[in-house]
Amino acid sequence: DDGTVNLIHFMIDGGEQGKGYGKAAMEQLLSRIRKDYPDQGIWLSLHPQNMVAIRLYKDYGFEFQVIGLETDEEVFMYLRSL
C-alpha cells in the first residue's frame, strides 16, 4: 500500500458524454474516497489529447505529474489527499 487510490478506466460512453454524467460520477467518487480513504492521494491516467477529461479533472484539483511512464497515449494526474 503506497497510500494512494488509483482510478482505473474511468470512462463515460461516447453516446452519453456531454450530459453531466462524468461530473456527477466524479463528485460521487471523490465523496466516497474522502470518506473511506481520507489521507490518501488519488492517481489517474488518461490520453493527453482528451481535453474534456483534462478540464474535468483540473476542475477537481488534479494536476499533471511526470512519473517516467508517460507515453504518447497516456499521461498521469494526481490529487493530493482530501
Side-chain angles (χ1 to χ4, degrees):
D1 183 0
D2 66 355
T4 63
V5 173
N6 296 286
L7 297 182
I8 300 172
H9 298 294
F10 177 69
M11 296 180 271
I12 303 299
D13 181 83
E16 300 301 321
Q17 292 177 5
K19 298 179 181 179
Y21 296 133
K23 182 177 180 179
M26 183 58 62
E27 289 175 3
Q28 291 294 316
L29 280 168
L30 294 179
S31 176
R32 183 61 185 247
I33 292 167
R34 284 184 188 110
K35 178 182 174 194
D36 293 349
Y37 306 98
D39 298 325
Q40 295 188 2
I42 305 168
W43 283 100
L44 57 81
S45 66
L46 69 158
H47 194 282
Q49 295 177 357
N50 188 342
M51 300 311 293
V52 173
I54 290 168
R55 190 169 38 253
L56 174 72
Y57 299 139
K58 283 186 170 185
D59 285 349
Y60 285 95
F62 284 85
E63 299 177 346
F64 284 105
Q65 296 290 313
V66 176
I67 63 171
L69 299 174
E70 297 75 20
T71 68
D72 289 342
E73 297 195 12
E74 185 176 39
V75 293
F76 298 87
M77 295 183 84
Y78 181 72
L79 178 64
R80 298 191 187 284
S81 61
L82 306 170

